[in-house]
Amino acid sequence: MSLTKNQVASVAYTLTVDGQVVDQADKENPMAFIHGVGGMIPGFEKQLEGKSIGDSFSITVEAAEAYGERNDELTQDVSREMFEGVPDDQLVAGAQFQAQTDAGVEVITIAAVDGDNIKIDANHPLAGQTLNFDVEMLDIRDATAEELAHGHVHAAGGCGSHEEASNKESDGCCGGGSCGGEETK
Ligand SMILES: [Zn+2]
């Protein structure tokens, strides 16, 4: 079976940027996703299309097909007061914080600290980066109708991985389509 839209792929992978490991999933804890529904970065999905179980391969994804180019307008200088309660030793260049914004939760990176002036960067940490993946295709199966409706993968035998949805039906995660709040409209 080779991977096509609306199938669930399970992969082990190592993501490197400039030779540094940024993220990985091993065979014991593979990453599973529904292929072709936009859950993954575009360049990753494109290059996994048609791969078969057992395939091992390396792919390169340019920034434009990954997290986009960097946008310098997403950096700004703010006062240290914005980080009230954050210890000094955590307020250093490279530190990352989650911030609630109009666009949802975003990762803010401290770009520089100069006295009371803090330069923050709201670009995705991997924006502007070329991503290299070493991938092993471990499993491919058809997504269930329920998974397609929810837009995410369910653990074997149901939605055991979605604890918050267990109050409606004990053996199916998603009574009322409330699984994890990701109801497909
Ligand atoms: Zn679900």
Side-chain angles (χ1 to χ4, degrees):
M1 187 185 273
S2 61
L3 185 62
T4 187
K5 183 176 163 67
N6 291 344
Q7 290 180 318
V8 174
S10 296
V11 298
Y13 72 93
T14 300
L15 166 59
T16 56
V17 174
D18 294 332
Q20 305 266 35
V21 174
V22 173
D23 194 15
Q24 56 190 332
D26 61 22
K27 284 186 186 181
E28 282 67 45
N29 295 289
M31 175 181 70
F33 64 96
I34 303 176
H35 182 68
V37 299
M40 308 299 292
I41 56 174
F44 186 84
E45 290 203 349
K46 265 185 207 170
Q47 295 186 72
L48 262 64
E49 176 82 19
K51 298 294 186 188
S52 302
I53 295 172
D55 284 355
S56 289
F57 48 93
S58 296
I59 60 175
T60 299
V61 182
E62 302 295 335
E65 293 271 274
Y67 294 98
E69 303 294 346
R70 280 187 52 80
N71 178 358
D72 286 338
E73 291 180 11
L74 293 177
T75 63
Q76 60 175 307
D77 294 314
V78 300
S79 161
R80 195 180 199 99
E81 289 161 21
M82 196 179 141
F83 293 91
E84 199 174 0
V86 177
D88 282 356
D89 62 352
Q90 289 178 26
L91 207 51
V92 295
Q96 295 183 331
F97 296 86
Q98 290 198 336
Q100 186 68 45
T101 71
D102 293 344
V105 176
E106 289 188 359
V107 175
I108 302 290
T109 304
I110 306 292
V113 178
D114 180 12
D116 280 344
N117 192 46
I118 313 284
K119 186 181 286 294
I120 60 173
D121 184 352
N123 283 285
H124 188 282
L126 292 174
Q129 306 279 5
T130 299
L131 311 184
N132 301 286
F133 293 91
D134 292 318
V135 184
E136 183 175 356
M137 183 67 75
L138 301 174
D139 189 43
I140 298 172
R141 64 172 171 82
D142 291 329
T144 65
E146 190 181 55
E147 285 174 324
L148 290 174
H150 293 183
H152 55 231
V153 174
H154 291 164
C159 255
S161 58
H162 301 303
E163 292 150 26
E164 66 267 48
S166 61
N167 50 358
K168 277 233 168 181
E169 295 175 13
S170 56
D171 59 344
C173 78
C174 306
S178 61
C179 181
E182 295 178 66
E183 186 177 357
T184 303
K185 296 183 178 65

